Amino acid sequence: MTDQVTEHEVGRSRPRKEDARLITGQTTWTDNITVNGLLHLAILRSPMAHARIDRVDVSPARERPGVVAAFSGSDLAEGLGSLPCAWPVTEDIVLPDHPPIAVDEVRHAGDPVAVVVARDRYAAADALEAVEVDYTPLPPVLDLEAALADDSPLVHADKGTNRCYDWRLATGEDYAAVRHRSDVVLRRRFHQQRLIPNAMEPRAVVVTPLAASGEYTVHSSTQIPHILRIMLSVVTGIPEHKLRVIAPDVGGGFGSKLQVYGEEALALAVARRLGRPVKWTESRSEGYLATHHGRGMIQDVEIAANRDGGINGLKVRLLADMGAYLMLVTPGIPILGAFMYPGIYKMDAYDFTCTGVFTTRTPTDAYRGAGRPEATYAIERIMDELAVELGLDPIELRRRNWIRHEEFPYTSVAGLTYDSGNYEAATDRALALFGYDELRAEQHKRNERADAVRLGIGVSTYTEMCGLAPSRVLRDLRYSAGGWEAASIRMLPTGKVEVVTGTSPHGQGHVTCWSQIAADVLGVPFDDVQVLHGDTGTAPQGMDTYGSRSLVVGGTAVHQAAQKVVEKARKVAAHLLEASEHDLEFTNGVFSVKGSPDARRSIQEVAFATFSSHDLPDGMEPTINAEHLVDPENFSYPHGTHLCAVEVDTETGRTSIRSYVCVDDVGRVINPMIVEGQVHGGLAQGIAQALYEEAVYDDDGNLLSGTMADYLVPSAADLPDFVTDRTVTPSTTNPLGSKGVGEAGTIASTPAVVNAVVDALRPLGVTEVAMPCTPQRVWEALQEAAT
């Protein structure tokens, strides 16, 4: 019998199984894949934000050395449908066609207009300059408010409007009545700048046709192999069962690879046309134009409160930049955040409206946090403004309004039921680690001295909805797909275990955590578990990875499938031990008869006995393998308190983070080391929005921040040491007790940093600094306040 496992895996800081391959270069990135006869695809992109295409001549490119074929949009139009939008948020939403390659009109800089196929990538890229294109410029559409005016140029002339949709959520009491009875009403306007995702691995796709059967294997650097398979079938007309999609090693996504891109459809169409394998890999600057952007909205926020600080109501009006087209979930991203603007606070009325607006810029879509960082930023910024108006410490104002731990489960004014939480405990722990009172005292002294370098303290107390899952909720939001997840457990004859998961990792540590979950339930060694993922041939069912759903949905499916294996094995073990199932105990991988400890069988022995099938209960199939599909009843709601101290040089405008403390509550933790890594990565991206990153366009719609020389991605040297800690209030809606963690750091950190910057400058008359709070913007805000 295999040695008994006695130490629990869940809760251990296991080094990641994935890392050995990653750090030794034994990986399979999509761009590493090569097959016989491989051709390389290059894409000619529009240099103009908006123009009519008068002529495209690809024939000169076909004469270039190494070129096999070249196609214009009209050459490829037959057999290519519109790229899908899976989230039409209203019944009357404007849904323009989104061709994978432009035929008559380009609508953002970077829109594809022609493709060249060559024997190597350099020949293909060089031949692009031979393609001849004549354009007639059309007016760009860039300003969100001006785009809605009656005389605005139109992004899609056939639609007659730049308004994509209006979506409203009004809950609780009538906001106008609540506003009327309030002592204080504050309005603020916040801008969420566009952000450009920067995954370490660029996007890439390799399509291999199998001519004899009409099948195609698509390797793609994607977060969503299962969804991509369905959508590529819809776009190209290739039957779904003829498509196999594989997400090999994927080097980061942050939402940018939660997408069905035109390049994937183009590579498939060209491979079908030529009957040859085709590869496309983006350059970094190409990705800045063609990979969807994140955020991009104007937030008008109004809060109504009593003089004692009690919040009565909140009103939010959003203008959300859709960009030129609606991609997979573009319209739904602001709506996902709609339920989070009230945050952790109790109030009587909530009135939210979002207007989606088309512009001649790269489309927006999911970016780490997807709607929830924007909501958290708005409520946490205006809470600080309200604290100043009322003369209260920002922590005290929050204490007077948040949901207390004894009130859970609590249905927020936005209609969500928060299952568990303890905001008091997380905040108290954060304050102690931060030294809040001492820093406030130091700040007071420095302000009295009129120091050139001012100290600012920022607060962010947050919750978020994650574990994107409940299918009926998604139905009510008009999302096309469900939110379930699948897993199966295969017990091999030798007692080893294969876990097949429908989630598809891109750096989160699924292989390690799923191994820990399965090992604990089955009582087998951690190293005896293998996790298979990211291949629609190997894992045919799944809804993939996004929205911090993998653990709370996918991990729950693994846990439940493993429980089913144990129950199937119990029947076999009882038969072998000549005992009743009810008399068996299962501990650390061993079935034993109560009162007869020597009568025992390990689950590995049961697996082999099932494989041999020499002595099974009558009528039982010779397998203890099991699968489970889970559709959770609710989202999960992590929360926490983030505190940031910054020093701002009033002579240069430079901001430096002096200290950063966060205490997050993500429920029961499977692997603390992985949680730490997720929090650190999230903090880096949230701080980047606050201080560094912004997609900037000129008046003609050209992207000015089109390379890493212009778009400031912070390095480790630009970030502080983080002090992180956790409190634990288990989720009550999944058996693991876990909550999501992948996006929490990004959601909470941005307002903490900006609140700190404004707090430092407020004694000098500054009440707002637009993100990113660059030295120039800080300096300009100081000059304006001084005049």
Side-chain angles (χ1 to χ4, degrees):
M1 186 176 72
T2 303
D3 291 340
Q4 192 169 340
V5 176
T6 58
E7 187 173 358
H8 288 297
E9 285 294 336
V10 170
R12 293 181 65 183
S13 286
R14 277 276 191 184
R16 300 197 321 173
K17 284 185 175 183
E18 301 92 326
D19 287 349
R21 290 189 309 104
L22 294 172
I23 64 178
T24 57
Q26 300 178 65
T27 50
T28 308
W29 311 115
T30 300
D31 190 49
N32 291 348
I33 294 169
T34 185
V35 294
N36 289 335
L38 183 65
L39 301 175
H40 295 262
L41 184 73
I43 299 173
L44 183 68
R45 299 184 181 278
S46 168
M48 309 182 73
H50 198 195
R52 185 171 62 247
I53 300 173
D54 297 320
R55 182 180 69 95
V56 179
D57 186 357
V58 297
S59 58
R62 293 179 181 138
E63 305 303 317
R64 290 295 187 97
V67 171
V68 174
F71 304 101
S72 67
S74 58
D75 294 332
L76 294 173
E78 186 178 352
L80 272 181
S82 178
L83 293 173
C85 174
W87 204 339
V89 295
T90 63
E91 188 173 350
D92 60 350
I93 188 173
V94 175
L95 287 170
D97 286 340
H98 184 186
I101 182 169
V103 177
D104 301 314
E105 191 171 321
V106 293
R107 293 182 171 87
H108 68 91
D111 223 354
V113 295
V115 299
V116 173
V117 189
R119 293 185 178 88
D120 67 70
R121 66 193 307 172
Y122 305 105
D126 289 345
L128 289 178
E129 63 188 26
V131 178
E132 299 175 3
V133 186
D134 292 336
Y135 298 100
T136 296
L138 297 171
V141 179
L142 302 170
D143 183 275
L144 294 181
E145 291 178 304
L148 296 176
D150 292 339
D151 60 350
S152 173
L154 298 176
V155 180
H156 299 275
D158 61 317
K159 299 303 180 183
T161 181
N162 290 321
R163 186 184 300 266
C164 177
Y165 66 86
D166 289 303
W167 190 93
R168 188 178 184 213
L169 176 69
T171 59
E173 298 179 28
D174 177 68
Y175 177 78
V178 166
R179 184 186 193 276
H180 180 72
R181 72 167 189 254
S182 298
D183 301 322
V184 177
V185 177
L186 287 184
R187 289 198 69 188
R188 294 292 185 270
R189 168 167 282 199
F190 305 122
H191 290 264
Q192 292 283 331
Q193 78 272 34
R194 276 176 166 250
L195 301 178
I196 302 176
N198 278 272
M200 186 175 292
E201 179 207 16
R203 291 190 294 119
V205 58
V206 175
V207 179
T208 305
L210 305 174
S213 59
E215 297 176 317
Y216 299 84
T217 298
V218 179
H219 288 82
S220 181
S221 179
T222 182
Q223 299 173 217
I224 52 167
H226 298 89
I227 295 172
L228 180 59
R229 181 192 190 203
I230 296 168
M231 295 305 187
L232 285 179
S233 176
V234 171
V235 173
T236 65
I238 297 172
E240 184 183 350
H241 68 285
K242 297 289 188 179
L243 288 172
R244 178 184 181 185
V245 175
I246 301 172
D249 294 314
V250 178
F254 316 118
S256 70
K257 296 174 183 176
L258 166 57
Q259 195 54 265
V260 179
Y261 281 106
E263 293 87 357
E264 291 160 323
L266 288 173
L268 183 54
V270 170
R272 175 170 59 179
R273 178 77 67 95
L274 300 179
R276 297 271 298 274
V278 170
K279 176 190 286 188
W280 171 81
T281 302
E282 72 178 3
S283 67
R284 184 66 68 178
S285 57
E286 186 180 22
Y288 274 37
L289 289 169
T291 296
H292 74 241
H293 293 176
R295 315 290 193 253
M297 65 172 62
I298 298 171
Q299 302 170 308
D300 287 311
V301 185
E302 181 177 286
I303 193 166
N306 295 327
R307 184 56 61 184
D308 65 3
I311 300 171
N312 294 326
L314 185 71
K315 182 178 180 180
V316 178
R317 295 292 180 265
L318 299 186
L319 291 180
D321 188 352
M322 303 287 97
Y325 302 102
L326 301 183
M327 299 192 77
L328 191 65
V329 292
T330 300
I333 297 303
I335 307 309
L336 191 60
F339 299 93
M340 287 282 94
Y341 280 83
I344 66 173
Y345 307 115
K346 295 180 284 190
M347 60 188 72
D348 299 322
Y350 175 50
D351 191 333
F352 172 94
T353 299
C354 178
T355 298
V357 184
F358 290 112
T359 64
T360 52
R361 287 187 281 239
T362 300
T364 58
D365 210 296
Y367 180 72
R368 196 170 189 168
R372 288 99 76 206
E374 298 93 311
T376 300
Y377 182 85
I379 186 62
E380 289 303 294
R381 280 289 295 115
I382 205 163
M383 285 295 286
D384 261 34
E385 296 298 304
L386 181 61
V388 172
E389 179 72 17
L390 297 174
L392 292 173
D393 181 273
I395 292 289
E396 176 58 27
L397 177 64
R398 287 164 170 83
R399 287 189 193 278
R400 294 185 185 186
N401 287 283
W402 64 37
I403 304 156
R404 303 196 62 81
H405 70 275
E406 64 269 16
E407 296 178 282
F408 289 95
Y410 185 90
T411 300
S412 77
V413 69
L416 297 178
T417 299
Y418 302 167
D419 64 321
S420 67
N422 192 327
Y423 309 141
E424 306 99 298
T427 302
D428 289 345
R429 180 62 178 153
L431 291 172
L433 290 170
F434 191 63
Y436 185 82
D437 292 338
E438 294 84 352
L439 283 168
R440 283 293 184 200
E442 178 187 344
Q443 180 189 43
H444 179 70
K445 291 178 181 178
R446 289 170 69 161
N447 288 344
E448 283 188 329
R449 294 195 305 263
D451 282 1
V453 178
R454 295 299 178 106
L455 178 65
I457 298 168
V459 178
S460 174
T461 52
Y462 80 99
T463 189
E464 59 147 327
M465 55 185 288
C466 63
L468 188 65
S471 294
R472 292 182 180 181
V473 174
L474 296 178
R475 173 203 63 195
D476 294 341
L477 293 174
R478 300 181 61 87
Y479 183 61
S480 298
W484 53 267
E485 194 48 78
S488 61
I489 306 286
R490 301 198 289 245
M491 290 291 301
L492 304 181
T494 55
K496 309 303 181 186
V497 179
E498 289 179 339
V499 175
V500 182
T501 176
T503 60
S504 187
H506 44 281
Q508 295 91 340
H510 289 43
V511 170
T512 301
C513 289
W514 280 209
S515 295
Q516 291 179 272
I517 292 168
D520 262 12
V521 176
L522 299 173
V524 301
F526 171 79
D527 290 330
D528 284 358
V529 182
Q530 181 183 22
V531 178
L532 306 175
H533 59 79
D535 181 345
T536 62
T538 302
Q541 296 186 99
M543 292 301 295
D544 306 316
T545 294
Y546 40 86
S548 299
R549 72 186 300 273
S550 288
L551 178 60
V552 295
V553 190
T556 294
V558 171
H559 180 273
Q560 299 293 70
Q563 292 280 18
K564 286 183 175 179
V565 169
V566 171
E567 292 312 304
K568 283 187 174 183
R570 183 185 300 276
K571 296 181 183 296
V572 179
H575 180 76
L576 295 174
L577 294 169
E578 298 180 342
S580 166
E581 292 178 42
H582 303 293
D583 290 335
L584 291 189
E585 296 178 331
F586 182 69
T587 306
N588 297 327
V590 175
F591 293 97
S592 60
V593 180
K594 297 175 185 177
S596 301
D598 292 335
R600 46 202 276 129
R601 289 287 190 279
S602 71
I603 197 167
Q604 294 94 335
E605 289 174 312
V606 172
F608 186 81
T610 306
F611 164 73
S612 68
S613 67
H614 292 168
D615 187 14
L616 294 181
D618 291 342
M620 183 173 183
E621 294 178 331
T623 180
I624 57 172
N625 297 343
E627 68 176 8
H628 189 81
L629 278 76
V630 62
D631 196 344
E633 62 189 71
N634 196 0
F635 299 97
S636 73
Y637 298 95
H639 68 83
T641 297
H642 288 223
L643 301 173
C644 178
V646 302
E647 293 185 321
V648 182
D649 189 327
T650 60
E651 295 177 349
T652 66
R654 183 177 185 271
T655 298
S656 58
I657 297 178
R658 173 167 150 179
S659 62
Y660 196 102
V661 169
C662 62
V663 176
D664 296 293
D665 193 319
V666 297
R668 188 183 182 204
V669 171
I670 305 301
N671 187 312
M673 184 186 300
I674 288 176
V675 167
E676 287 288 299
Q678 288 278 25
V679 170
H680 280 208
L683 292 177
Q685 287 184 270
I687 291 170
Q689 178 174 6
L691 296 180
Y692 299 104
E693 296 186 21
E694 181 178 23
V696 179
Y697 287 82
D698 68 13
D699 292 341
D700 295 322
N702 298 307
L703 182 64
L704 299 180
S705 51
T707 71
M708 283 188 171
D710 313 296
Y711 184 89
L712 303 182
V713 180
S715 70
D718 300 305
L719 298 169
D721 291 332
F722 304 123
V723 176
T724 63
D725 202 356
R726 290 186 302 277
T727 56
V728 178
T729 52
S731 172
T732 62
T733 59
N734 69 75
L736 297 174
S738 295
K739 306 175 182 180
V741 70
E743 297 162 301
T746 303
I747 289 166
S749 56
T750 306
V753 175
V754 176
N755 277 340
V757 172
V758 175
D759 184 61
L761 301 178
R762 200 180 294 276
L764 301 172
V766 175
T767 60
E768 179 65 18
V769 180
M771 294 189 292
C773 302
T774 61
Q776 179 176 342
R777 282 189 174 154
V778 169
W779 187 86
E780 288 174 347
L782 284 165
Q783 302 315 300
E784 183 178 345
T787 57

